[in-house]
Amino acid sequence: MGSGLSSRPSSAEDSQLDGWGVPTHKDDDLFYPIKNFQGEIIGWRERTDSEKMKRRLEKQKILDQELAEESDFEEHFVEDVETTEERLEVKSPESEISSVNIFVKQPSEDDIQSETSEDEDGKLPEKSFQEVAVPHRERVQDKFKPSILSAVNFDPEQSALKLQKSMQNSNVDEDAIIFVLASHTHSQRLKIAEEYKVLQREVLQTDFKSNLSGEFRNLCVSLVQDPVVRDATYIRKIVQGEFRIEDLVGILAWQEANQLEEIKKIYHAMFASDLELDLENAAGRRHVPVVRVLCSEGRDEDDQGALHHWATVEHNANWLMEAIQEEDSEALKLRLNNVLSLRSWNLLPDILDLFERKNGKDLSYHMKRMIGSKIGGAFTSLFFVLDEPSAFYAEEIYAAVDGLGTKDDKLQQIFVRRSEVDLLSIDSVFRKMFGRRLNKVVKEETSGSYRKLLLALLGT
């Protein structure tokens, strides 16, 4: 058996060299790549006989599992886009559609205009979408109630001075820190951090890390951190830990296109790796379609007027319904890929709602029936957060505190992200679902200043 480094090509098939004079490809079952800090391959180590046998057994196990699954469920989500006459080109303003695979032409502006244009009498044609013209934010069971609001008479300099005084000596005034952080929104905290840097000539995050400890320190840092850096860091933990699609959905659902682009850039800068590829590798075959939808860069911006919004909702719901009525599973796959990857986050909940109103069954039911239970199940968490976000995050908080030990990263991430969106709504839903208020859960699961800050973010 062989071991050690291999730095030269040993056969014709390995003859392609990179700038280091090292073969860029070898059989992964036989050799292990050695990479530098830039991710470049600088050598190869031959695997031991036991490693080779282990990899063969693992591959056979995966192959057996795949044969038992619906073999074609992700065909149209994972294939590379092919430009053929049968697969129509999707029009995208000013930019190309990302690697998300779009095979069917999306509803065009002309299509939308034709549905909303006036008839000869100058009247709008009757449309069923007018019957459901209730925006998603008004339709959910618990409205979006934030726990943190912008501070009135905001004075960033005074707040920065309070933070400066709180950490002037070894006896840190943690209550003062809690008051400043929990009484301001994230945008206000960033301005406070800027003032702090002017006054103290130090970065606020750095001083938090130096003067505070434990989960209280981590939560304080998150509250003044750039949201893009915070999200990229949390996604890295998802990739490297035990992958749960719910964790990823909780981060990337509702992200605007420009925010997603920044997260991808920061992730690559911080970890020298591609975010989407890392997620696909971590997610496994079943959840790759969901990852592709969440990472789609071709998503519309929802800056339409109300009438155009509901016309688009009607058009897309009908488009999906046609494929179901015709029992055409291939057309359904293509259209699902198009709608879920390209429609704006504000449109999707209304499309799903109208679809269910017209069919009597939700989209997930028809996906399971026509495409397979695994693909339908894979999208459950995404549909859940689109339909009832507060209930989704209530379940995620329960997942963070259930069982032995508290998943503090998850708990903090939800409190920080949702405090300015719907944390009070989450609290209300959590009580209905699990019979307890969040303040009681926090008191049971945490302690000290960490507990105080979480309760302050909750508004209690």
Side-chain angles (χ1 to χ4, degrees), residues 33-73:
I34 308 298
K35 298 182 180 180
N36 63 13
F37 288 112
Q38 287 74 41
E40 299 170 319
I41 297 175
I42 59 174
W44 295 84
R45 177 179 66 82
E46 186 176 357
R47 298 183 186 276
T48 64
D49 288 346
S50 60
E51 287 175 334
K52 294 174 184 177
M53 176 63 71
K54 183 179 179 180
R55 286 181 65 85
R56 283 196 295 270
L57 293 174
E58 287 176 347
K59 289 182 72 173
Q60 185 60 47
K61 182 179 179 181
I62 292 172
L63 180 60
D64 292 340
Q65 290 174 342
E66 290 179 347
L67 291 174
E69 296 175 346
E70 295 91 342
S71 62
D72 67 340
F73 84 93

Side-chain angles (χ1 to χ4, degrees), residues 85-351:
E85 294 181 359
E86 292 78 17
R87 292 174 178 176
L88 301 178
E89 182 179 0
V90 177
K91 298 178 181 179
S92 176
E94 299 183 1
S95 62
E96 296 180 356
I97 299 300
S98 67
S99 59
V100 177
N101 306 293
I102 312 301
F103 295 91
V104 181
K105 184 178 178 182
Q106 65 181 5
S108 68
E109 292 295 323
D110 292 338
D111 294 332
I112 301 301
Q113 291 297 330
S114 66
E115 293 194 6
T116 59
S117 60
E118 296 181 349
D119 60 18
E120 294 179 357
D121 297 327
K123 297 179 181 179
L124 286 171
E126 293 184 3
K127 278 295 179 182
S128 60
F129 67 78
Q130 294 172 346
E131 300 172 5
V132 294
V134 179
H136 175 251
R137 292 180 70 93
E138 297 178 17
R139 194 174 63 248
V140 293
Q141 293 179 6
D142 279 81
K143 306 300 186 291
F144 289 72
K145 302 170 188 173
S147 59
I148 300 294
L149 301 174
S150 297
V152 181
N153 301 321
F154 174 51
D155 188 338
E157 184 176 354
Q158 286 300 315
S159 296
L161 281 170
K162 288 180 182 178
L163 291 177
Q164 182 187 40
K165 292 177 182 178
S166 71
M167 295 184 284
Q168 276 184 338
N169 51 57
S170 57
N171 187 21
V172 177
D173 187 353
E174 295 183 345
D175 288 339
I177 295 174
I178 291 170
F179 175 81
V180 173
L181 296 182
S183 59
H184 296 90
T185 61
H186 183 264
S187 62
Q188 290 177 328
R189 291 187 211 114
L190 293 183
K191 292 178 181 177
I192 293 170
E194 292 174 2
E195 287 294 330
Y196 185 91
K197 189 173 183 179
V198 173
L199 292 170
Q200 190 72 2
R201 298 184 182 277
E202 292 288 349
V203 177
L204 182 57
Q205 288 185 50
T206 303
D207 280 358
F208 279 163
K209 292 176 181 178
S210 300
N211 293 284
L212 308 178
S213 62
E215 297 301 338
F216 177 61
R217 174 190 59 201
N218 296 337
L219 181 53
C220 288
V221 170
S222 294
L223 287 167
V224 296
Q225 199 170 26
D226 184 298
V228 173
V229 175
R230 183 186 66 220
D231 289 347
T233 303
Y234 189 72
I235 290 173
R236 186 64 173 181
K237 293 179 181 178
I238 293 174
V239 168
Q240 295 183 326
E242 184 177 345
F243 183 90
R244 289 178 70 251
I245 192 63
E246 293 84 359
D247 293 335
L248 186 63
V249 167
I251 292 289
L252 293 184
W254 300 97
Q255 290 278 10
E256 299 294 340
N258 61 330
Q259 294 172 322
L260 178 62
E261 182 181 2
E262 287 301 310
I263 291 172
K264 289 182 177 181
K265 289 180 180 177
I266 292 297
Y267 184 92
H268 187 271
M270 293 177 68
F271 307 113
S273 191
D274 182 85
L275 180 144
E276 189 168 351
L277 290 178
D278 283 356
L279 287 173
E280 288 184 15
N281 290 332
R285 182 173 182 265
R286 177 184 179 186
H287 290 113
V288 165
V290 188
V291 171
R292 294 267 175 117
V293 166
L294 291 169
C295 294
S296 171
E297 296 178 345
R299 196 172 300 281
D300 297 338
E301 298 294 336
D302 188 29
D303 56 357
Q304 312 168 19
L307 184 60
H308 196 284
H309 173 99
W310 292 109
T312 307
V313 168
E314 173 87 358
H315 188 99
N316 283 270
N318 287 340
W319 202 41
L320 293 172
M321 286 170 55
E322 289 172 3
I324 290 171
Q325 290 167 352
E326 295 169 2
E327 292 292 327
D328 190 339
S329 61
E330 296 304 309
L332 180 59
K333 292 176 187 178
L334 301 182
R335 295 179 186 189
L336 278 170
N337 191 30
N338 183 285
V339 171
L340 296 177
S341 298
L342 298 181
R343 298 286 75 82
S344 74
W345 292 114
N346 287 329
L347 276 171
L348 284 176
D350 294 324
I351 293 171

Side-chain angles (χ1 to χ4, degrees), residues 5-22:
L5 295 178
S6 171
S7 60
R8 293 294 175 189
S10 57
S11 65
E13 66 179 16
D14 293 328
S15 62
Q16 185 177 355
L17 305 178
D18 64 6
W20 293 81
V22 176

